[in-house]
Amino acid sequence: MDYMNQICLPVAAEFDEFRSRYSSLFSCSNPAVDVLLKFLSRRNGKMMRPLLVLLVSKCYCQVPDSVYHLGAAVELLHQGSLIHDDVVDESEKRRGHRSANAAFDNRLAVLLGDYVVSMALQQITATAHVRCVQHISKLIGTLSEGEINQLNALDFDTLSEDVYFDIISKKTAILFSTCTELSAVLSGASGQEIEGFRQFGHVAGLCFQIMDDILDYHSSDETGKPSGNDMKEGKFTLPAIYALNSSGRDWSAHIKAIRSLSATPEQIKEVTDYTVSNGGIDYAVRKMDELKKQAIQGLPAFISTDLRTAFESYLELITNRAK
């Protein structure tokens, strides 16, 4: 099924308008900055977060101008965080292309990330809504906290699902829930409706990250990352956490070696193979299915059939991509 078409159908005109507005942001009278922005503008993805912003607002018929600014703000924050992530992780590719730090250097990449975050703040200020400005200001700190927690977890001797979900809630899910919550606020939703949409966004973000972590067990031309890349960076994600914690074997030496970045390729392969063959991937898929059911149940009852289909397709696209 063409999930992307199902998602875009109810907001086709609004999505075209958004993309036109968003593209116009990537120019600057300063030639040095303009080069960096043009580089970034050529690497736009599917814009899943702005789409979520538009879908929520469309539930209330007319999409206000402020919602377009919100969509731009969250997408810019997403882009800025990816640039900074690539510097921290020393990644050379992003979506199959050279990362900013590889194309330029770490100094310019960090400054570009900062500049893009400042663009996001300008866009959220344009909503003229105090709650949105406050929320986005706090969000920037939460994204950083998630990254800090992930780095701090490298010192842990045990694997914990609770720690994993706390990290991905702050690193990934918070941006999705911000899309749905603030779009509902700007569109005049009631308190109960805002919470329902917020929960949908949160779950969508969790599923997005879990699927990303599943895909790490397969080489990807799109991301440019080989299989097992997370473990090479010292990270244990949901599939491995479940498989190793469910094992009767003592994996402490492997865990310590991987988290200290001293693991051999053989150790990483052994943990990766064990995860795949002992239910780690299947468990992560089941977890996503449970979360999807919760998200759909929380949507307000008044949503039209085409929009409900779009929200369902949104979750299906997230959890079925590149399998």
Side-chain angles (χ1 to χ4, degrees):
M1 182 180 290
D2 188 350
Y3 292 123
M4 195 64 182
N5 183 59
Q6 294 285 343
I7 296 166
C8 294
L9 192 61
V11 291
E14 291 83 1
F15 193 34
D16 285 343
E17 173 68 15
F18 172 80
R19 285 184 291 193
S20 175
R21 292 188 183 204
Y22 188 73
S23 295
S24 70
L25 299 176
F26 288 84
S27 64
C28 181
S29 58
N30 183 322
V33 176
D34 195 59
V35 168
L36 298 174
L37 292 178
K38 290 295 187 291
F39 168 84
L40 189 58
S41 69
R42 293 192 293 270
R43 283 151 176 76
N44 287 332
K46 293 185 176 70
M47 296 193 177
M48 295 299 291
R49 293 154 193 82
L51 265 173
L52 198 51
V53 168
L54 295 173
L55 285 173
V56 171
S57 187
K58 190 67 174 180
C59 293
Y60 297 89
C61 296
Q62 188 71 28
V63 176
D65 190 69
S66 58
V67 165
Y68 290 103
H69 291 297
L70 170 63
V74 293
E75 184 65 14
L76 288 165
L77 274 180
H78 172 58
Q79 293 294 338
S81 68
L82 292 182
I83 294 169
H84 287 153
D85 284 354
D86 287 340
V87 173
V88 171
D89 296 337
E90 299 181 348
S91 300
E92 295 186 356
K93 284 193 174 183
R94 170 65 60 182
R95 294 178 183 144
H97 300 280
R98 296 180 74 194
S99 61
N101 48 299
F104 305 105
D105 60 32
N106 281 348
R107 295 171 302 171
L108 282 175
V110 169
L111 292 170
L112 174 59
D114 292 345
Y115 190 90
V116 171
V117 170
S118 77
M119 292 168 64
L121 294 176
Q122 292 174 55
Q123 287 297 308
I124 203 63
T125 301
T127 65
H129 199 290
V130 173
R131 177 170 173 177
C132 290
V133 174
Q134 291 173 333
H135 188 104
I136 292 293
S137 299
K138 184 177 180 181
L139 168 64
I140 295 171
T142 302
L143 292 172
S144 298
E145 184 181 341
E147 284 291 338
I148 292 169
N149 288 350
Q150 181 166 272
L151 291 173
N152 189 51
L154 296 178
D155 296 327
F156 295 171
D157 295 326
T158 58
L159 304 178
S160 166
E161 273 195 36
D162 288 342
V163 171
Y164 169 79
F165 276 105
D166 180 69
I167 289 171
I168 70 171
S169 291
K170 291 172 178 173
K171 274 193 59 181
T172 305
I174 186 65
L175 201 50
F176 283 83
S177 63
T178 293
C179 291
T180 50
E181 178 182 348
L182 296 188
S183 183
V185 168
L186 292 173
S187 301
S190 69
Q192 184 176 358
E193 291 163 359
I194 291 170
E195 176 54 26
F197 281 124
R198 187 203 66 78
Q199 183 61 26
F200 181 93
H202 176 72
V203 168
L206 294 178
C207 288
F208 188 94
Q209 188 59 58
I210 293 171
M211 191 64 213
D212 249 18
D213 296 338
I214 291 173
L215 292 175
D216 184 65
Y217 287 84
H218 310 277
S219 297
S220 171
D221 293 333
E222 181 180 347
T223 62
K225 295 180 178 180
S227 173
N229 192 69
D230 284 337
M231 288 190 198
K232 291 172 185 175
E233 295 176 354
K235 303 171 188 173
F236 284 92
T237 56
L238 186 61
I241 292 171
Y242 171 79
L244 299 189
N245 281 344
S246 302
S247 170
R249 175 179 170 181
D250 181 8
W251 290 94
S252 58
H254 288 72
I255 293 171
K256 184 176 181 179
I258 289 171
R259 281 190 160 157
S260 65
L261 306 182
S262 63
T264 64
E266 290 75 21
Q267 285 177 307
I268 291 176
K269 186 177 187 304
E270 187 177 2
V271 174
T272 300
D273 290 347
Y274 185 87
T275 297
V276 173
S277 61
N278 286 272
I281 303 299
D282 292 338
Y283 175 78
V285 170
R286 290 197 304 273
K287 182 65 71 173
M288 286 194 300
D289 288 340
E290 293 171 7
L291 289 168
K292 284 193 295 184
K293 291 177 183 177
Q294 295 175 20
I296 295 300
Q297 290 170 356
L299 288 173
F302 71 86
I303 296 176
S304 63
T305 301
D306 61 336
L307 279 162
R308 186 169 293 275
T309 298
F311 283 111
E312 292 172 353
S313 296
Y314 191 94
L315 290 176
E316 292 302 322
L317 179 63
I318 282 175
T319 55
N320 287 280
R321 56 200 165 101
K323 277 189 178 179

